[in-house]
Amino acid sequence: NKLLARSQGNPFYLEELLNFLHDRGLDPRDPTALEKIELPDSLHTLILSRIDQLSAREKTTLRVASVIGRLFRAHWLIGYYPELGEAASVKDDLDQLAELDFTPLDTPDPELVYLFKHIVTHEVAYENLPFATRARLHARLARYLENQVASGALTETFLLDTLTYHYLRSEDTAKQREYLRKAGQAAVNMSAFNTALDYLTRLMELTPATDPARSAVTLLLATAQRGLGDYAAARDTARHVDRREGVHLA
């Protein structure tokens, strides 16, 4: 069987090949139909080919949604990218994408949550965006979520890791530093020292040696290292703290 041979036994690849043929109105059981079309030679190319068959609105919706993540809330999508149109129109596009097996509904009313059916589908949709566009969209999404916090609709504690994630993929260095510091401190407070170490190491990379805030960041990093039992690294990190401020580890 041509489809089985092309999919190499990968169930998702085979399913996407069947969807590919269905999109074009071809019957996979008809041997002559398979002779009429060139099948994509990789799963990545196959998914990209299917995306190219979507309407302009559906393509935009899929790509903008991919910035949120593999799992995404419809109201976040509409809120951060209002150019998609009214909620009813966006819902129609999402219903069509679900019908085509791109992003099925994961959680029904009252809060509509959709899921990219396969991680590869999400990766292809996301990677098809130019890098600069991705960075702008991550920043827009993060600002939208900040506004949700400011309005009281959501809490910063709930969104802290999400805000950090999206700002790190933007070009807003000031916001990156702000949220890395908040997320690093929160992780230390929860004794999640491995997570804290990741955040604070990245923060140190973004904090100039001449910045007055660097000493406090250094001390926090040393605290995370101590929490992990790496006392030698903690002592070495602490040596870089400005002694003139009288800051030291006990």
Side-chain angles (χ1 to χ4, degrees):
N1 185 293
K2 186 175 181 180
L3 296 181
L4 283 173
R6 180 57 58 91
S7 68
Q8 299 179 325
N10 182 324
F12 176 66
Y13 197 168
L14 177 60
E15 185 178 355
E16 285 299 289
L17 284 169
L18 293 172
N19 285 331
F20 175 81
L21 294 173
H22 181 267
D23 292 346
R24 287 157 178 76
L26 297 174
D27 185 352
R29 295 167 296 185
D30 180 2
T32 60
L34 297 180
E35 300 302 322
K36 297 176 183 176
I37 192 166
E38 183 70 27
L39 295 175
D41 59 6
S42 72
L43 181 56
H44 184 285
T45 305
L46 171 59
I47 293 172
L48 190 58
S49 177
R50 290 199 66 219
I51 291 174
D52 285 342
Q53 293 296 310
L54 298 173
S55 71
R57 282 179 52 88
E58 291 162 354
K59 284 180 194 175
T60 300
T61 300
L62 193 69
R63 289 167 178 160
V64 173
S66 74
V67 172
I68 300 175
R70 188 177 172 195
L71 192 76
F72 63 93
R73 292 170 171 81
H75 73 272
W76 285 19
L77 180 64
I78 297 163
Y80 104 90
Y81 201 81
E83 293 94 323
L84 290 176
E86 296 297 322
S89 297
V90 177
K91 172 85 165 45
D92 288 342
D93 290 333
L94 291 172
D95 287 344
Q96 179 62 17
L97 291 169
E99 179 69 24
L100 293 170
D101 229 17
F102 283 106
T103 53
L105 184 65
D106 186 73
T107 304
D109 294 331
E111 183 174 15
L112 299 174
V113 180
Y114 294 82
L115 174 73
F116 279 84
K117 184 169 182 179
H118 196 278
I119 191 170
V120 179
T121 307
H122 176 247
E123 288 173 353
V124 172
Y126 182 74
E127 291 168 4
N128 200 230
L129 288 165
F131 182 84
T133 301
R134 279 186 245 166
R136 288 195 297 271
L137 290 175
H138 279 294
R140 282 183 63 166
L141 175 58
R143 287 194 294 270
Y144 164 75
L145 294 176
E146 281 186 311
N147 289 337
Q148 294 295 294
V149 172
S151 71
L154 295 167
T155 67
E156 186 175 84
T157 300
F158 173 72
L159 286 176
L160 192 51
D161 287 329
T162 301
L163 284 163
T164 306
Y165 173 88
H166 289 294
Y167 270 128
L168 282 176
R169 283 153 183 79
S170 76
E171 295 180 346
D172 192 332
T173 306
K175 285 293 186 180
Q176 290 173 5
R177 289 177 58 187
E178 176 186 345
Y179 281 99
L180 281 168
R181 173 59 192 268
K182 289 179 177 180
Q185 181 68 69
V188 167
N189 293 346
M190 294 186 295
S191 299
F193 297 118
N194 277 310
T195 300
L197 188 64
D198 289 342
Y199 283 142
L200 296 169
T201 299
R202 183 68 185 275
L203 179 56
M204 287 290 287
E205 293 169 356
L206 294 174
T207 306
T210 56
D211 193 309
R214 190 174 174 90
S215 291
V217 175
T218 303
L219 181 61
L220 195 57
L221 176 59
T223 302
Q225 291 167 330
R226 280 174 57 87
L228 289 169
D230 193 347
Y231 299 107
R235 285 193 297 272
D236 185 59
T237 298
R239 289 193 189 102
H240 299 287
V241 176
D242 188 348
R243 300 296 183 182
R244 288 173 299 176
E245 297 178 9
V247 179
H248 65 281
L249 286 179

mmCIF file of all heavy atoms in Angstrom, residues 32-62:
data_model
loop_
_atom_site.group_PDB
_atom_site.id
_atom_site.type_symbol
_atom_site.label_atom_id
_atom_site.label_comp_id
_atom_site.label_asym_id
_atom_site.label_seq_id
_atom_site.Cartn_x
_atom_site.Cartn_y
_atom_site.Cartn_z
ATOM 1 N N THR A 32 -6.355 4.652 -8.537
ATOM 2 C CA THR A 32 -6.109 5.643 -9.593
ATOM 3 C C THR A 32 -5.997 7.052 -9.021
ATOM 4 O O THR A 32 -5.297 7.904 -9.571
ATOM 5 C CB THR A 32 -7.232 5.605 -10.638
ATOM 6 O OG1 THR A 32 -8.488 5.897 -9.997
ATOM 7 C CG2 THR A 32 -7.315 4.223 -11.295
ATOM 8 N N ALA A 33 -6.689 7.285 -7.901
ATOM 9 C CA ALA A 33 -6.626 8.611 -7.277
ATOM 10 C C ALA A 33 -5.217 8.899 -6.782
ATOM 11 O O ALA A 33 -4.723 10.030 -6.883
ATOM 12 C CB ALA A 33 -7.619 8.706 -6.126
ATOM 13 N N LEU A 34 -4.558 7.870 -6.239
ATOM 14 C CA LEU A 34 -3.211 8.059 -5.702
ATOM 15 C C LEU A 34 -2.195 8.322 -6.802
ATOM 16 O O LEU A 34 -1.137 8.897 -6.554
ATOM 17 C CB LEU A 34 -2.794 6.825 -4.892
ATOM 18 C CG LEU A 34 -3.633 6.528 -3.652
ATOM 19 C CD1 LEU A 34 -3.116 5.280 -2.939
ATOM 20 C CD2 LEU A 34 -3.629 7.710 -2.697
ATOM 21 N N GLU A 35 -2.528 7.891 -8.016
ATOM 22 C CA GLU A 35 -1.623 8.135 -9.137
ATOM 23 C C GLU A 35 -1.732 9.563 -9.653
ATOM 24 O O GLU A 35 -0.862 10.035 -10.379
ATOM 25 C CB GLU A 35 -1.927 7.154 -10.279
ATOM 26 C CG GLU A 35 -1.764 5.686 -9.909
ATOM 27 C CD GLU A 35 -0.366 5.362 -9.421
ATOM 28 O OE1 GLU A 35 0.597 5.934 -9.977
ATOM 29 O OE2 GLU A 35 -0.236 4.551 -8.481
ATOM 30 N N LYS A 36 -2.809 10.236 -9.246
ATOM 31 C CA LYS A 36 -3.046 11.589 -9.757
ATOM 32 C C LYS A 36 -2.334 12.670 -8.957
ATOM 33 O O LYS A 36 -2.351 13.837 -9.346
ATOM 34 C CB LYS A 36 -4.552 11.887 -9.729
ATOM 35 C CG LYS A 36 -5.383 10.995 -10.627
ATOM 36 C CD LYS A 36 -6.862 11.315 -10.438
ATOM 37 C CE LYS A 36 -7.744 10.396 -11.262
ATOM 38 N NZ LYS A 36 -9.187 10.648 -11.015
ATOM 39 N N ILE A 37 -1.753 12.287 -7.834
ATOM 40 C CA ILE A 37 -1.210 13.307 -6.936
ATOM 41 C C ILE A 37 0.153 12.896 -6.397
ATOM 42 O O ILE A 37 0.414 11.703 -6.182
ATOM 43 C CB ILE A 37 -2.207 13.564 -5.769
ATOM 44 C CG1 ILE A 37 -1.820 14.821 -4.994
ATOM 45 C CG2 ILE A 37 -2.309 12.360 -4.862
ATOM 46 C CD1 ILE A 37 -2.925 15.306 -4.063
ATOM 47 N N GLU A 38 1.016 13.866 -6.207
ATOM 48 C CA GLU A 38 2.336 13.633 -5.621
ATOM 49 C C GLU A 38 2.214 13.792 -4.111
ATOM 50 O O GLU A 38 1.844 14.861 -3.602
ATOM 51 C CB GLU A 38 3.338 14.647 -6.178
ATOM 52 C CG GLU A 38 4.756 14.447 -5.702
ATOM 53 C CD GLU A 38 5.410 13.195 -6.267
ATOM 54 O OE1 GLU A 38 5.016 12.767 -7.371
ATOM 55 O OE2 GLU A 38 6.297 12.649 -5.588
ATOM 56 N N LEU A 39 2.517 12.727 -3.393
ATOM 57 C CA LEU A 39 2.428 12.785 -1.934
ATOM 58 C C LEU A 39 3.658 13.484 -1.350
ATOM 59 O O LEU A 39 4.779 13.250 -1.814
ATOM 60 C CB LEU A 39 2.315 11.375 -1.347
ATOM 61 C CG LEU A 39 1.057 10.585 -1.702
ATOM 62 C CD1 LEU A 39 1.169 9.163 -1.148
ATOM 63 C CD2 LEU A 39 -0.191 11.266 -1.156
ATOM 64 N N PRO A 40 3.476 14.350 -0.353
ATOM 65 C CA PRO A 40 4.626 14.985 0.304
ATOM 66 C C PRO A 40 5.589 13.934 0.848
ATOM 67 O O PRO A 40 5.172 12.865 1.301
ATOM 68 C CB PRO A 40 3.981 15.792 1.443
ATOM 69 C CG PRO A 40 2.577 16.034 0.971
ATOM 70 C CD PRO A 40 2.196 14.810 0.207
ATOM 71 N N ASP A 41 6.883 14.236 0.782
ATOM 72 C CA ASP A 41 7.885 13.220 1.118
ATOM 73 C C ASP A 41 8.330 13.222 2.572
ATOM 74 O O ASP A 41 9.219 12.466 2.953
ATOM 75 C CB ASP A 41 9.110 13.356 0.203
ATOM 76 C CG ASP A 41 9.749 14.730 0.312
ATOM 77 O OD1 ASP A 41 9.319 15.534 1.158
ATOM 78 O OD2 ASP A 41 10.684 15.011 -0.473
ATOM 79 N N SER A 42 7.740 14.075 3.411
ATOM 80 C CA SER A 42 8.047 14.065 4.846
ATOM 81 C C SER A 42 6.837 14.547 5.618
ATOM 82 O O SER A 42 5.953 15.219 5.055
ATOM 83 C CB SER A 42 9.254 14.964 5.165
ATOM 84 O OG SER A 42 8.904 16.333 5.039
ATOM 85 N N LEU A 43 6.784 14.219 6.889
ATOM 86 C CA LEU A 43 5.663 14.647 7.723
ATOM 87 C C LEU A 43 5.619 16.165 7.811
ATOM 88 O O LEU A 43 4.538 16.778 7.732
ATOM 89 C CB LEU A 43 5.790 14.026 9.121
ATOM 90 C CG LEU A 43 4.685 14.363 10.122
ATOM 91 C CD1 LEU A 43 3.312 13.990 9.577
ATOM 92 C CD2 LEU A 43 4.945 13.636 11.450
ATOM 93 N N HIS A 44 6.769 16.797 7.955
ATOM 94 C CA HIS A 44 6.844 18.262 8.036
ATOM 95 C C HIS A 44 6.281 18.886 6.763
ATOM 96 O O HIS A 44 5.439 19.806 6.807
ATOM 97 C CB HIS A 44 8.301 18.678 8.252
ATOM 98 C CG HIS A 44 8.501 20.148 8.452
ATOM 99 N ND1 HIS A 44 8.438 21.059 7.425
ATOM 100 C CD2 HIS A 44 8.747 20.878 9.572
ATOM 101 C CE1 HIS A 44 8.656 22.269 7.891
ATOM 102 N NE2 HIS A 44 8.842 22.193 9.200
ATOM 103 N N THR A 45 6.712 18.391 5.613
ATOM 104 C CA THR A 45 6.232 18.918 4.335
ATOM 105 C C THR A 45 4.745 18.664 4.159
ATOM 106 O O THR A 45 4.010 19.500 3.622
ATOM 107 C CB THR A 45 7.010 18.271 3.179
ATOM 108 O OG1 THR A 45 8.401 18.471 3.379
ATOM 109 C CG2 THR A 45 6.606 18.863 1.837
ATOM 110 N N LEU A 46 4.300 17.515 4.628
ATOM 111 C CA LEU A 46 2.888 17.156 4.536
ATOM 112 C C LEU A 46 2.019 18.143 5.315
ATOM 113 O O LEU A 46 1.019 18.653 4.805
ATOM 114 C CB LEU A 46 2.689 15.739 5.067
ATOM 115 C CG LEU A 46 1.247 15.239 5.247
ATOM 116 C CD1 LEU A 46 0.492 15.285 3.929
ATOM 117 C CD2 LEU A 46 1.256 13.832 5.815
ATOM 118 N N ILE A 47 2.409 18.428 6.554
ATOM 119 C CA ILE A 47 1.622 19.347 7.383
ATOM 120 C C ILE A 47 1.656 20.755 6.787
ATOM 121 O O ILE A 47 0.641 21.448 6.735
ATOM 122 C CB ILE A 47 2.137 19.345 8.827
ATOM 123 C CG1 ILE A 47 1.870 17.974 9.462
ATOM 124 C CG2 ILE A 47 1.463 20.432 9.651
ATOM 125 C CD1 ILE A 47 2.496 17.777 10.811
ATOM 126 N N LEU A 48 2.832 21.174 6.324
ATOM 127 C CA LEU A 48 2.952 22.496 5.706
ATOM 128 C C LEU A 48 2.059 22.588 4.468
ATOM 129 O O LEU A 48 1.398 23.608 4.237
ATOM 130 C CB LEU A 48 4.407 22.761 5.335
ATOM 131 C CG LEU A 48 4.754 24.184 4.884
ATOM 132 C CD1 LEU A 48 4.386 25.194 5.967
ATOM 133 C CD2 LEU A 48 6.234 24.277 4.550
ATOM 134 N N SER A 49 1.998 21.506 3.703
ATOM 135 C CA SER A 49 1.152 21.472 2.519
ATOM 136 C C SER A 49 -0.321 21.592 2.892
ATOM 137 O O SER A 49 -1.097 22.291 2.220
ATOM 138 C CB SER A 49 1.393 20.172 1.744
ATOM 139 O OG SER A 49 0.545 20.075 0.634
ATOM 140 N N ARG A 50 -0.708 20.925 3.983
ATOM 141 C CA ARG A 50 -2.099 21.015 4.439
ATOM 142 C C ARG A 50 -2.423 22.431 4.916
ATOM 143 O O ARG A 50 -3.516 22.947 4.651
ATOM 144 C CB ARG A 50 -2.365 20.017 5.561
ATOM 145 C CG ARG A 50 -2.362 18.555 5.130
ATOM 146 C CD ARG A 50 -3.083 17.693 6.173
ATOM 147 N NE ARG A 50 -4.494 18.019 6.238
ATOM 148 C CZ ARG A 50 -5.200 18.073 7.366
ATOM 149 N NH1 ARG A 50 -4.624 17.845 8.541
ATOM 150 N NH2 ARG A 50 -6.486 18.353 7.340
ATOM 151 N N ILE A 51 -1.490 23.050 5.618
ATOM 152 C CA ILE A 51 -1.712 24.425 6.080
ATOM 153 C C ILE A 51 -1.871 25.369 4.892
ATOM 154 O O ILE A 51 -2.708 26.278 4.902
ATOM 155 C CB ILE A 51 -0.556 24.879 6.998
ATOM 156 C CG1 ILE A 51 -0.595 24.112 8.324
ATOM 157 C CG2 ILE A 51 -0.629 26.387 7.270
ATOM 158 C CD1 ILE A 51 0.579 24.390 9.242
ATOM 159 N N ASP A 52 -1.080 25.141 3.839
ATOM 160 C CA ASP A 52 -1.152 25.999 2.655
ATOM 161 C C ASP A 52 -2.507 25.930 1.964
ATOM 162 O O ASP A 52 -2.866 26.852 1.215
ATOM 163 C CB ASP A 52 -0.054 25.623 1.658
ATOM 164 C CG ASP A 52 1.320 26.103 2.094
ATOM 165 O OD1 ASP A 52 1.381 27.001 2.967
ATOM 166 O OD2 ASP A 52 2.330 25.581 1.582
ATOM 167 N N GLN A 53 -3.267 24.861 2.206
ATOM 168 C CA GLN A 53 -4.588 24.709 1.598
ATOM 169 C C GLN A 53 -5.675 25.485 2.354
ATOM 170 O O GLN A 53 -6.790 25.609 1.873
ATOM 171 C CB GLN A 53 -4.975 23.224 1.555
ATOM 172 C CG GLN A 53 -4.122 22.385 0.616
ATOM 173 C CD GLN A 53 -4.275 22.802 -0.833
ATOM 174 O OE1 GLN A 53 -5.383 22.928 -1.332
ATOM 175 N NE2 GLN A 53 -3.157 23.039 -1.498
ATOM 176 N N LEU A 54 -5.326 26.009 3.535
ATOM 177 C CA LEU A 54 -6.315 26.738 4.334
ATOM 178 C C LEU A 54 -6.596 28.109 3.737
ATOM 179 O O LEU A 54 -5.795 28.651 2.959
ATOM 180 C CB LEU A 54 -5.804 26.911 5.766
ATOM 181 C CG LEU A 54 -5.548 25.640 6.579
ATOM 182 C CD1 LEU A 54 -4.886 26.001 7.903
ATOM 183 C CD2 LEU A 54 -6.844 24.861 6.808
ATOM 184 N N SER A 55 -7.706 28.693 4.137
ATOM 185 C CA SER A 55 -7.986 30.080 3.744
ATOM 186 C C SER A 55 -7.008 31.004 4.462
ATOM 187 O O SER A 55 -6.368 30.613 5.451
ATOM 188 C CB SER A 55 -9.422 30.447 4.128
ATOM 189 O OG SER A 55 -9.545 30.560 5.548
ATOM 190 N N ALA A 56 -6.908 32.232 3.982
ATOM 191 C CA ALA A 56 -5.982 33.197 4.593
ATOM 192 C C ALA A 56 -6.320 33.417 6.065
ATOM 193 O O ALA A 56 -5.433 33.496 6.915
ATOM 194 C CB ALA A 56 -6.023 34.515 3.825
ATOM 195 N N ARG A 57 -7.615 33.519 6.373
ATOM 196 C CA ARG A 57 -8.037 33.730 7.759
ATOM 197 C C ARG A 57 -7.653 32.546 8.636
ATOM 198 O O ARG A 57 -7.181 32.712 9.760
ATOM 199 C CB ARG A 57 -9.553 33.939 7.822
ATOM 200 C CG ARG A 57 -10.029 35.330 7.414
ATOM 201 C CD ARG A 57 -11.547 35.400 7.492
ATOM 202 N NE ARG A 57 -12.027 34.960 8.788
ATOM 203 C CZ ARG A 57 -12.160 35.767 9.845
ATOM 204 N NH1 ARG A 57 -11.835 37.041 9.739
ATOM 205 N NH2 ARG A 57 -12.616 35.295 10.991
ATOM 206 N N GLU A 58 -7.890 31.342 8.115
ATOM 207 C CA GLU A 58 -7.580 30.138 8.890
ATOM 208 C C GLU A 58 -6.080 29.994 9.116
ATOM 209 O O GLU A 58 -5.645 29.613 10.209
ATOM 210 C CB GLU A 58 -8.134 28.900 8.181
ATOM 211 C CG GLU A 58 -9.652 28.838 8.198
ATOM 212 C CD GLU A 58 -10.216 27.880 7.165
ATOM 213 O OE1 GLU A 58 -9.426 27.333 6.351
ATOM 214 O OE2 GLU A 58 -11.444 27.688 7.161
ATOM 215 N N LYS A 59 -5.286 30.315 8.110
ATOM 216 C CA LYS A 59 -3.822 30.270 8.260
ATOM 217 C C LYS A 59 -3.380 31.227 9.354
ATOM 218 O O LYS A 59 -2.571 30.874 10.225
ATOM 219 C CB LYS A 59 -3.128 30.661 6.953
ATOM 220 C CG LYS A 59 -3.128 29.626 5.870
ATOM 221 C CD LYS A 59 -2.385 30.199 4.659
ATOM 222 C CE LYS A 59 -2.627 29.368 3.432
ATOM 223 N NZ LYS A 59 -2.017 29.961 2.230
ATOM 224 N N THR A 60 -3.891 32.448 9.310
ATOM 225 C CA THR A 60 -3.504 33.452 10.307
ATOM 226 C C THR A 60 -3.914 32.999 11.699
ATOM 227 O O THR A 60 -3.127 33.097 12.654
ATOM 228 C CB THR A 60 -4.151 34.805 9.979
ATOM 229 O OG1 THR A 60 -3.718 35.228 8.685
ATOM 230 C CG2 THR A 60 -3.756 35.857 11.012
ATOM 231 N N THR A 61 -5.132 32.493 11.817
ATOM 232 C CA THR A 61 -5.616 32.026 13.118
ATOM 233 C C THR A 61 -4.711 30.924 13.656
ATOM 234 O O THR A 61 -4.327 30.934 14.838
ATOM 235 C CB THR A 61 -7.062 31.507 12.998
ATOM 236 O OG1 THR A 61 -7.901 32.569 12.546
ATOM 237 C CG2 THR A 61 -7.580 30.994 14.334
ATOM 238 N N LEU A 62 -4.360 29.962 12.822
ATOM 239 C CA LEU A 62 -3.517 28.848 13.239
ATOM 240 C C LEU A 62 -2.143 29.330 13.684
ATOM 241 O O LEU A 62 -1.623 28.913 14.723
ATOM 242 C CB LEU A 62 -3.385 27.851 12.088
ATOM 243 C CG LEU A 62 -2.791 26.484 12.434
ATOM 244 C CD1 LEU A 62 -3.756 25.683 13.302
ATOM 245 C CD2 LEU A 62 -2.457 25.707 11.163
#
